[in-house]
Amino acid sequence: MMPSRQALPNRPRMSAAEVGELNVQPRIEVSKIFSQPKLAKYRDLYIQAMAAIKALPHTNPESFFQQASIHGFPFIPYRGAINPAAPFDPAKWDRSDPTARWGGYCPHRATHFLPWHRAEMLELERTLMKHVLQIASQYTGGDKEEWQRAAKKFRLPYLDWAADYVKESGLPAFLNQPTLEVQTPTGKQTLPNPFLGYSIDSSIPFPPYESCKSFMSMLLPNTTNLGCTTSRDDWDRINQQFKGGLVDQLRSQLARIMNSADWTCLGNSLAVPLFGTNAGRCANQSSLETVHDKIHVTIGGPSGWMSDPTAASFDPIFFMHHANVDRQFAIWQLANPHTYLKGEIVPGGSFYTPQNITVDADTPLAPFWNPATNEARFYTSWDMRNWRNLGYTYDDLEQFEALAAAGNEGNIGDRVVALYPLEPIGYDGYRFYLVAESIDTSQEHGHVDVRVFVDMPEANQTTEGSVPNYAGLMTWLHDHMSKGGMQYVRDEIDLTPTLGRLDLLAPADQLALDPKDLSKGPDPAKAPVHLDDLNLVVVLDGAQPKLLPRFDVGPLKLGWSINVDGKYISGFLE
């Protein structure tokens, strides 16, 4: 049956000419846009376009309200995307029923997590491109052609949360500034910062709630009513976490992800060993969704909107973050050109997708209509496979594309490590990991941190992450679509930087079972760390962190990895 459409005001899509899709342009990292003078016009157009869509009526599908509403709350159709065979009725949605079909469009803990969010970023990108071109056409000075050239190059910027500058000084300062100075078509102006947050008009209907005034957080026990204005964690606290070891953990996870060719293990953080026949299949690596969760929870904190996937997309930083997730996805694709999405059951459903269906690469990525078909059908994951066919690339993909083009995609994992050096710098021996195969997240809703310390039994909920024994934390977004056992996720912590600080590392040949064959792994008797050396402190974060001594993190293992002659090898220590 043909997808059903519900008429919406101002629904016509922009044409290829309107959005400048005539050639491929790179998405640029936001710190470059806000620091490089040559990108000043690009930056000013971006700021004005974001401000413009935030000012549009909420019924306009180009408005920021509509763009943000796609992901989670409110439960409204976007551009008429209603499933005629299984329409969703917000009035019948039961907030207290964890098995109820979800009323947002987004999929989490699902095989199409990455392609669906790629389509979501594309939707906002094309909306912004249209407004950037419109704004650029209003400049009349001697540099009007320069404004138009900048507009034609515009694509959705990304925030590289694993970059050197984030490790050194935290997220870009402009994200927390109340105002920004902009050269507009009518002269220089100081505008409210459109990236700082968003306030929803309380008169707008907000199904299943009467309005945003009664908008209830599903997942944040410290905030029962989210209200109408987005919030984040304390800005200094956010940056302390990025500078205090979070970037090192993200880099380690990315390095391992790029050395894995398993789509299921890449694409989502579900604890696959619980449902597959291969019990250890994904236990020795993380997923892009797990990495993505850490950014959400770090920025949102115990009560901010980014910590709740039902509300996160109303924070403008959401789109910069997900553009970077898509960039990492593209790098992985270059390393694995012959591997893509495989069919798997998705139990939770969404506004368009019924519960318990098998999703594959042909499943519609509602609510995103494919303009190449005159919008007779939605995009699919196949349509999302080649980002260049969608009109964009990334400003640093050339190095990875060159390796893939030469048939050296196996070296892309090493190139990722070169881009994001792992601590300790210069150490090329065995790396050691704490692996949590299946954490039952349904035990406690809210901002749960599993903080890991090496040889520090006295650590508790007040112990600072600045102590040398601190190794990092495991944390996650709660899945609004989960039910029963499907709330299990997997995560890992790279212990190597901490072992280096504690002077416990040794050359690989000194730790190896066989010094002449490092691929056999380290000798457990010589290993610098064992499970008994680790102290896990589980905390429900907030103004008064609450210790959760009975929280069960599930099975734990110690993993190891090493690069031998360009080949990534990994295993378990015990």
Side-chain angles (χ1 to χ4, degrees):
M1 184 178 292
M2 189 70 68
S4 173
R5 306 201 63 148
Q6 175 177 306
L8 289 175
N10 303 312
R11 187 177 56 76
R13 285 282 273 177
M14 37 282 200
S15 68
E18 284 181 303
V19 298
E21 285 185 273
L22 302 181
N23 51 50
V24 176
Q25 295 292 340
R27 291 177 175 175
I28 303 174
E29 210 279 328
V30 290
S31 68
K32 298 177 184 177
I33 295 171
F34 280 80
S35 63
Q36 295 184 9
K38 67 179 181 180
L39 293 173
K41 290 181 171 59
Y42 194 105
R43 177 198 65 218
D44 288 357
L45 291 170
Y46 180 31
I47 294 168
Q48 292 176 84
M50 276 295 297
I53 66 171
K54 290 176 76 173
L56 291 173
H58 76 276
T59 53
N60 189 326
E62 295 179 9
S63 68
F64 185 79
F65 175 83
Q66 288 269 337
Q67 297 282 322
S69 297
I70 293 170
H71 197 259
F73 284 122
F75 296 161
I76 58 175
Y78 179 70
R79 300 184 61 243
I82 299 172
N83 190 328
F88 180 84
D89 184 355
K92 295 181 180 179
W93 182 68
D94 183 357
R95 183 179 188 272
S96 64
D97 181 2
T99 68
R101 176 177 162 187
W102 171 239
Y105 286 103
C106 68
H108 288 253
R109 314 281 189 264
T111 189
H112 59 318
F113 169 81
L114 292 170
W116 187 92
H117 283 84
R118 175 169 285 177
E120 184 184 25
M121 296 306 103
L122 186 67
E123 188 76 10
L124 179 69
E125 177 171 79
R126 289 177 173 172
T127 297
L128 288 172
M129 287 163 67
K130 176 180 177 180
H131 286 270
V132 161
L133 285 166
Q134 290 174 343
I135 294 166
S137 69
Q138 299 171 28
Y139 288 84
T140 57
D143 57 355
K144 64 179 181 180
E145 292 183 359
E146 294 179 27
W147 286 100
Q148 292 171 6
R149 282 195 294 270
K152 290 176 182 177
K153 293 180 179 180
F154 180 83
R155 296 295 185 269
L156 183 67
Y158 69 94
L159 170 61
D160 185 0
W161 23 254
D164 286 342
Y165 80 86
V166 177
K167 180 177 178 178
E168 294 168 4
S169 56
L171 299 180
F174 82 87
L175 289 169
N176 197 46
Q177 294 175 206
T179 60
L180 296 172
E181 192 173 80
V182 179
Q183 185 68 38
T184 74
T186 57
K188 188 167 288 186
Q189 296 184 31
T190 300
L191 303 179
N193 184 356
F195 308 109
L196 185 60
Y198 182 68
S199 292
I200 303 168
D201 185 339
S202 62
S203 68
I204 298 174
F206 210 84
Y209 303 104
E210 183 176 347
S211 78
C212 57
K213 288 183 177 180
S214 52
F215 178 17
M216 303 291 287
S217 171
M218 289 180 64
L219 308 172
L220 298 172
N222 296 338
T223 310
T224 55
N225 187 344
L226 283 174
C228 299
T229 301
T230 61
S231 62
R232 297 171 183 162
D233 199 3
D234 176 78
W235 190 250
D236 289 338
R237 185 171 185 256
I238 291 172
N239 287 325
Q240 286 170 4
Q241 293 182 75
F242 277 103
K243 294 184 292 183
L246 177 59
V247 170
D248 289 333
Q249 291 299 324
L250 298 172
R251 289 179 172 189
S252 176
Q253 289 181 295
L254 289 173
R256 288 156 65 76
I257 287 167
M258 297 305 169
N259 279 285
S260 169
D262 190 313
W263 171 270
T264 301
C265 300
L266 158 86
N268 68 87
S269 58
L270 199 63
V272 173
L274 292 174
F275 314 106
T277 57
N278 185 347
R281 178 174 166 192
C282 295
N284 201 25
Q285 72 159 90
S286 191
S287 72
L288 269 182
E289 186 175 17
T290 301
V291 173
H292 140 278
D293 281 8
K294 293 182 191 295
I295 306 302
H296 269 277
V297 176
T298 299
I299 294 173
S303 59
W305 286 36
M306 277 285 283
S307 292
D308 189 334
T310 68
S313 53
F314 282 100
D315 187 333
I317 204 172
F318 170 92
F319 295 95
M320 299 177 190
H321 162 44
H322 268 275
N324 193 45
V325 174
D326 183 70
R327 169 175 162 266
Q328 303 295 346
F329 175 27
I331 295 171
W332 185 91
Q333 287 182 270
L334 290 168
N336 300 275
H338 307 298
T339 305
Y340 198 52
L341 184 148
K342 58 186 295 184
E344 292 183 6
I345 293 177
V346 174
S350 67
F351 189 94
Y352 188 89
T353 305
Q355 292 172 294
N356 298 310
I357 69 165
T358 296
V359 170
D360 59 25
D362 293 310
T363 300
L365 298 180
F368 308 114
W369 299 92
N370 186 342
T373 67
N374 291 321
E375 303 195 341
R377 69 166 176 84
F378 296 113
Y379 278 121
T380 68
S381 293
W382 284 125
D383 297 321
M384 294 294 108
R385 187 168 190 176
N386 188 326
W387 55 94
R388 283 185 167 271
N389 289 348
L390 301 171
Y392 73 92
T393 185
Y394 288 94
D395 57 1
D396 65 347
L397 282 196
E398 292 88 351
Q399 57 183 312
F400 305 108
E401 291 171 331
L403 288 171
N408 296 321
E409 58 268 12
N411 294 330
I412 286 178
D414 288 342
R415 188 60 61 88
V416 170
V417 175
L419 178 65
Y420 300 130
L422 300 180
E423 292 290 342
I425 300 294
Y427 175 72
D428 61 356
Y430 290 108
R431 301 191 73 86
F432 297 89
Y433 306 85
L434 174 65
V435 178
E437 290 186 301
S438 51
I439 303 172
D440 180 4
T441 66
S442 67
Q443 296 175 77
E444 185 81 39
H445 272 203
H447 185 149
V448 177
D449 288 346
V450 180
R451 302 174 185 174
V452 181
F453 298 85
V454 177
D455 194 22
M456 193 175 185
E458 69 275 19
N460 58 37
Q461 72 271 27
T462 64
T463 305
E464 297 289 338
S466 57
V467 299
N469 304 70
Y470 178 67
L473 61 84
M474 293 181 276
T475 189
W476 51 86
L477 286 176
H478 282 280
D479 179 15
H480 48 266
M481 297 184 293
S482 295
K483 64 177 184 177
M486 299 300 285
Q487 293 196 40
Y488 289 84
V489 300
R490 65 188 193 279
D491 203 347
E492 67 177 50
I493 293 290
D494 185 353
L495 304 172
T496 319
T498 305
L499 298 175
R501 287 195 299 272
L502 299 177
D503 199 24
L504 295 175
L505 292 175
D509 57 2
Q510 293 183 21
L511 299 177
L513 276 169
D514 182 353
K516 296 181 180 180
D517 187 357
L518 301 182
S519 65
K520 292 182 179 180
D523 183 346
K526 300 177 182 177
V529 64
H530 296 85
L531 286 177
D532 291 344
D533 300 322
L534 303 179
N535 309 103
L536 275 59
V537 178
V538 186
V539 173
L540 183 63
D541 201 7
Q544 298 290 329
K546 176 185 176 183
L547 194 64
L548 301 174
R550 293 184 176 85
F551 191 95
D552 183 6
V553 296
L556 295 174
K557 291 185 177 180
L558 281 177
W560 58 269
S561 68
I562 194 168
N563 189 323
V564 179
D565 298 327
K567 185 179 181 181
Y568 177 84
I569 302 166
S570 64
F572 290 111
L573 187 65
E574 53 185 306

